[in-house]
Amino acid sequence: MRPIRRRGWEITGERLTPERVVLGRRRLLAGLAGALAAAPPSAFAQGRDPMAWWEAQLAADPTRGLYPAPRSSAYPLDRPLTEPRHAIAYNNFYEFGAQKDIWRTAQRLETRPWTVTIDGLVPSPRTVDIDDLIRRFPLEERTYRFRCVEGWAMAVPWVGFPLADLIRWVEPLGSARYVVFESFQNPRIAPGFRQTWYPWPYLEGFTLAEAMNELSLIVVGIYGRPLPPQLGAPIRVITPWKYGFKQPKSVVRITFTDRRPVGFWERLQPHEYGFWANVNPAVPHPRWSQATERMLGTDERRPTLIWNGYGEWVAGLYEGLRHERLFA
Ligand SMILES: Nc1nc2c(c(=O)[nH]1)N[C@H]1C(S)=C(S)[C@@H](COP(=O)(O)O)O[C@H]1N2
Ligand SMILES: [Mo]
């Protein structure tokens, strides 16, 4: 944990590790003990190269034959793609720890067998095997910008299918107004669950209109391959106009509901994180400016784009909602 020595405006959120709660000393010590106890004993012996790990996993992945997926030209980028080695080694995945280098611990995630339960306000709740789910919809590749609320950003080719396709398949009841995504919860493999002050499981939700937007993607791959565990294998959500914390990894449950969900970070720090969390350079986080962002793997800072540059697709979703806290 880093103490805050300067005011938020003078330092970026990234350096403040902002998504961490300001913990009491006792909790901090308990957390450290838990993390040490759960550290894989042979972690160092297993190698320090995340690309090599990823390579090794591919051979066993039952969906590898679905790649490469055709790239959609509808979502051009205004910047170079982030190099894979940076995107796969600088992550937020609090189940595996609150540092950015959790990639190695995340290799403990067992991504097969894996099922996703779809329930709530649907005519027929179901639990589907991940490989059946992935094969049900045609995969495509899309290059998207990605922006973490901490001030770092990347541009990556995701592989997946529109969330709208899944929703049309499930045909939620007319009373459904939100869709909620819940991440895996297995304390046996992930040390973060011992940090009991976090409101596990990680979950986030969207209005049905947001979820049906053509940009909303169910993601199963990146850079022409299945996702590595640290990026949320075997299945995650991407809504590129929102801050990264709105986009749960390693999803096991998709629930349709008529009640607005309170997400993981909103539950933890409601004065800092809200339901909408749309990217906006003009609305600072309570502890730092959002005017610029750093591209992963570089020292380059770029101006943050309103709606992360996706206003053409999504601004209309929020007309008439100006009284809401749309940008935090
Ligand atoms: N289950 C889960 N999903 C999560 C998180 C997390 O800690 N746990 N972190 C979120 C945050 S804050 C960000 S910025 C992105 C990071 O995605 P990446 O590591 O693939 O870049 O994942 C989001 N989804
Ligand atoms: Mo984030």
Side-chain angles (χ1 to χ4, degrees):
M1 288 241 301
R2 260 174 217 134
I4 300 171
R5 294 201 195 84
R6 287 185 280 175
R7 288 183 306 144
W9 322 116
E10 303 167 63
I11 191 167
T12 71
E14 201 173 358
R15 289 177 58 202
L16 290 174
T17 58
E19 286 164 346
R20 301 168 71 184
V21 206
V22 180
L23 302 170
R25 183 179 154 75
R26 199 196 240 151
R27 281 172 161 189
L28 175 66
L29 291 175
L32 283 176
L36 285 176
S42 56
F44 284 100
Q46 286 169 330
R48 292 167 171 273
D49 179 5
M51 290 299 286
W53 274 87
W54 196 14
E55 202 72 51
Q57 280 148 14
L58 277 184
D61 194 298
T63 61
R64 68 186 184 285
L66 303 175
Y67 295 79
R71 179 176 289 195
S72 165
S73 55
Y75 314 99
L77 286 178
D78 58 344
R79 59 195 71 186
L81 285 176
T82 301
E83 283 179 53
R85 66 193 169 97
H86 297 300
I88 69 168
Y90 188 94
N91 303 101
N92 276 330
F93 204 163
Y94 278 69
E95 288 85 337
F96 293 102
Q99 305 300 331
K100 303 300 181 209
D101 62 353
I102 53 76
W103 71 264
R104 197 186 286 105
T105 313
Q107 306 308 316
R108 297 166 145 235
L109 186 67
E110 293 153 4
T111 58
R112 296 293 189 288
W114 190 280
T115 59
V116 179
T117 296
I118 303 172
D119 62 6
L121 300 173
V122 293
S124 39
R126 61 196 87 179
T127 294
V128 285
D129 177 73
I130 188 65
D131 293 306
D132 293 342
L133 188 67
I134 294 174
R135 279 165 210 282
R136 179 168 289 274
F137 307 98
L139 298 184
E140 62 178 287
E141 180 176 80
R142 294 189 187 181
T143 55
Y144 276 171
R145 288 176 290 276
F146 178 96
R147 173 60 149 82
C148 172
V149 74
E150 297 167 324
W152 54 271
M154 57 184 187
V156 297
W158 298 116
V159 178
F161 55 86
L163 174 52
D165 286 359
L166 181 136
I167 295 175
R168 277 190 285 266
W169 173 55
V170 174
E171 295 184 313
L173 301 175
S175 49
R177 294 185 54 212
Y178 301 92
V179 55
V180 182
F181 296 86
E182 195 179 297
S183 295
F184 87 103
Q185 187 171 11
N186 182 349
R188 194 171 50 76
I189 58 158
F193 296 114
R194 298 183 192 204
Q195 302 179 322
T196 50
W197 57 90
Y198 287 120
W200 306 115
Y202 198 100
L203 65 81
E204 267 301 345
F206 308 94
T207 64
L208 224 45
E210 290 178 319
M212 290 297 292
N213 187 274
E214 68 164 274
L215 291 179
S216 299
L217 209 59
I218 294 284
V219 164
V220 298
I222 190 171
Y223 298 110
R225 309 165 153 199
L227 288 171
Q230 65 271 31
L231 267 80
I235 186 169
R236 75 183 292 182
V237 194
I238 288 293
T239 48
W241 69 99
K242 293 180 177 288
Y243 288 116
F245 75 87
K246 284 294 299 181
Q247 304 167 47
K249 297 176 163 185
S250 305
V251 168
V252 295
R253 182 182 295 271
I254 303 175
T255 304
F256 292 84
T257 166
D258 56 2
R259 265 178 270 160
R260 187 200 280 195
V262 180
F264 180 87
W265 289 107
E266 184 181 5
R267 191 166 296 283
L268 212 46
Q269 307 192 92
H271 51 294
E272 299 196 339
Y273 307 105
F275 174 74
W276 302 100
N278 299 311
V279 176
N280 186 337
V283 179
H285 184 280
R287 289 186 278 139
W288 60 87
S289 163
Q290 294 290 24
T292 64
E293 61 197 26
R294 182 182 71 84
M295 296 305 294
L296 276 195
T298 74
D299 294 327
E300 186 194 0
R301 295 204 76 85
R302 302 182 72 105
T304 303
L305 304 173
I306 177 118
W307 314 106
N308 206 20
Y310 296 104
E312 177 190 332
W313 288 269
V314 299
L317 287 171
Y318 304 101
E319 276 161 19
L321 283 176
R322 297 290 163 176
H323 57 285
E324 294 266 351
R325 213 174 117 221
L326 288 174
F327 301 102

